[in-house]
Amino acid sequence: MNRIDKTFWSQRRVLLTGHTGFKGAWLSAWLRQMGASVHGISLPPVTDPNLHAIMSGQALPADEHIDIRDGGALAACVQAIHPDIVLHLAAQPLVRTSYQQPELTFSTNVMGTVNMLDAVRMTPSVRAGVIITTDKVYVNRETGKPFDEMDRLGGHDPYSSSKACAELVTQCYRDSFFKGADAPAIATARAGNVIGGGDWSADRLVPDVVRAMIAGRPVELRYPRSVRPWQHVLDPLHGYLLLAQHLWLRPQATPRVVNFGPDPAGFVTVAGMLERLDIAIGGRGWQQAPGDHPSEAGLLTLAIDRAKETLGWQPVLDVDQTIAWTADWYQAWHKGHDMRAMTLKQISDFEKAIDLS
């Protein structure tokens, strides 16, 4: 049970929200590679280029552009798909955007989660679901102690607070509607800062490095000394898949809240990560971004004992491998290689690395 079972996922009807985003596009590709019947609900991609378009050769049975704030449209679509498993990644995922658009952030991350869970409540086919939140859901007093799943929820910025609210919403639905032997098993997953190929989002470190490399200029960092739990995108996705698999096969023994993060060597400052990426990708260094900036946590780390002990999950790629895989992807993209093939190869290589871990 500590390995992804491809036979379990083959032909499984999976509803994946946020499938046009960075993590969603990787997860969609992985599920399809295992033979799952993936049905996507998301807004259109917000960047050009984007990984969803790169992977467009893997057409989905359903590729619906629905705003999850529209509860009626979402419920009708979910009931028409009648999925076995729901993986809910759709969100407003950026801290700086949450300061600029707090209402959008709360309505998407809180009411979007309410709408998703209500749609699940009305869809008897669903037996398991994973709601993706973030490592930023905890009250962070920056003591240096890695957060575990029992720590208090909170959030100083709109993004973090909205995701903590999504955790409370999920707990409420479990207590109110998802009890009993026939109820779907629903869990939340909290992951650290992820990097990897195919991310062009604004205000994220790797896309900023790639854009700066192409422009021949240094990256501007807002908080270079902030520490984050960095990991390759495939590591938490491995956790999400394993958690969903356990919820289906062993619902009574599977935790309902799980952190997925790197080992402590992956707790690195923003500047430290950029300097390593510069060496791997060929960047132009960094400089302090001028002006005042919205507050962000200075120290954020995760404890992952629960994932190791209950799911048999552990990080597969260390921080150096994470940087190398990310650099390889963007260098291949910059040279005009077949990036769909490159993405699928990295997934296959990751599966082999799981078997060796």
Side-chain angles (χ1 to χ4, degrees), residues 21-22 25-26 49-56 197-200 329 339 343:
F22 168 50
W26 274 100
N50 63 82
L51 186 59
H52 176 67
I54 287 171
M55 302 304 294
S56 61
D199 188 7
W200 282 277
W329 197 100
M339 297 316 299
T343 301

Side-chain angles (χ1 to χ4, degrees), residues 58-300:
Q58 287 191 316
L60 304 183
D63 186 352
E64 303 288 346
H65 290 165
I66 294 175
D67 190 326
I68 60 173
R69 295 177 296 173
D70 185 341
L74 180 64
C77 188
V78 174
Q79 290 176 67
I81 293 169
H82 55 275
D84 302 318
I85 292 174
V86 171
L87 302 171
H88 179 52
L89 278 67
Q92 191 301 95
L94 301 173
V95 172
R96 288 193 77 189
T97 299
S98 79
Y99 279 107
Q100 298 159 359
Q101 301 184 65
E103 189 278 334
L104 170 69
T105 301
F106 278 100
S107 59
T108 301
N109 296 350
V110 183
M111 287 310 301
T113 302
V114 170
N115 292 338
M116 186 71 251
L117 291 169
D118 222 38
V120 168
R121 183 169 67 92
M122 295 183 287
T123 308
S125 64
V126 180
R127 283 186 51 186
V130 180
I131 309 298
I132 309 306
T133 60
T134 176
D135 58 352
K136 298 174 180 63
V137 297
Y138 298 106
V139 173
N140 191 352
R141 297 189 175 89
E142 302 191 22
T143 64
K145 171 187 174 293
F147 292 110
D148 65 43
E149 292 85 352
M150 298 303 293
D151 282 320
R152 182 183 170 192
L153 298 175
H156 297 295
D157 59 87
Y159 169 72
S160 303
S161 178
S162 70
K163 284 295 197 174
C165 290
E167 290 277 351
L168 295 174
V169 165
T170 306
Q171 178 63 60
C172 171
Y173 266 75
R174 277 197 300 263
D175 291 344
S176 300
F177 306 113
F178 300 144
K179 298 187 292 186
D182 295 330
I186 307 295
T188 57
R190 306 167 182 172
N193 285 47
V194 299
I195 66 172
D199 188 7
W200 282 277
S201 301
D203 298 321
R204 284 186 181 160
L205 183 62
V206 172
D208 285 349
V209 170
V210 173
R211 284 188 284 262
M213 175 197 72
I214 294 171
R217 57 173 172 75
V219 176
E220 291 189 346
L221 298 182
R222 299 182 302 276
Y223 296 103
R225 303 304 169 196
S226 293
V227 174
R228 295 288 184 268
W230 304 94
Q231 57 191 151
H232 191 275
V233 61
L234 290 172
D235 262 321
L237 298 187
H238 173 211
Y240 303 164
L241 292 170
L242 203 56
L243 178 56
Q245 188 175 302
H246 275 249
L247 288 169
W248 183 287
L249 297 173
R250 302 173 59 209
Q252 300 305 316
T254 302
R256 295 305 193 258
V257 180
V258 187
N259 287 343
F260 297 106
D263 286 321
F267 303 160
V268 181
T269 66
V270 173
M273 281 296 288
L274 185 141
E275 289 159 4
R276 297 187 194 196
L277 284 163
D278 265 359
I279 293 170
I281 295 178
R284 298 292 188 271
W286 65 274
Q287 62 188 27
Q288 178 66 51
D292 296 327
H293 306 285
S295 176
E296 297 181 24
L299 177 61
L300 178 55

